Amino acid sequence: MIGLGKWTGDIETSMISGNAIVEISEKNGEYDFSVTVPSMKTLPNFKVYDIKEEGNCLSGKAEIELMGKMNVDISVEINGDAFTGYIKVPFLGKIEIKNG
């Protein structure tokens, strides 16, 4: 399994700005993700599933509760001690996590 641990990166959108903390862990042989953004009091609930590992990338889906339940695409790339990623949300577009 790749990328296990806590990663911190920058988010800059019209609705969200600041640091994001992404924790990638293993649970029963599967990847598990948790995300916190300290500058936001609450984040929508989400459940990550269907994670695939290809080289140094993890990609998959998440079900997020934002104006009802939505399915979103997620992707993270690990290069040594560097981390980048995104969440692609309908109507909002791609929310990138940079400089991790």
Side-chain angles (χ1 to χ4, degrees):
M1 298 192 112
I2 64 168
L4 299 178
K6 283 189 180 183
W7 301 86
T8 302
D10 300 324
I11 295 179
E12 192 67 46
T13 71
S14 60
M15 294 175 37
I16 303 170
S17 180
N19 288 328
I21 301 167
V22 177
E23 185 169 359
I24 304 171
S25 58
E26 179 270 330
K27 188 176 187 180
N28 300 323
E30 301 287 328
Y31 282 102
D32 192 38
F33 283 74
S34 69
V35 178
T36 56
V37 179
S39 64
M40 295 183 67
K41 291 181 181 177
T42 60
L43 285 177
N45 292 328
F46 68 94
K47 177 183 168 189
V48 176
Y49 62 96
D50 199 24
I51 299 296
K52 293 179 177 66
E53 180 181 322
E54 290 186 41
N56 62 341
C57 295
L58 299 173
S59 61
K61 303 279 184 190
E63 182 179 88
I64 188 169
E65 292 182 28
L66 182 67
M67 301 180 298
K69 288 187 179 183
M70 298 178 163
N71 291 315
V72 300
D73 296 323
I74 64 169
S75 178
V76 296
E77 183 176 341
I78 314 296
N79 287 309
D81 64 353
F83 169 92
T84 58
Y86 70 83
I87 301 170
K88 191 172 181 183
V89 181
F91 310 113
L92 296 177
K94 190 185 275 188
I95 300 171
E96 295 187 61
I97 302 172
K98 300 178 180 179
N99 304 320

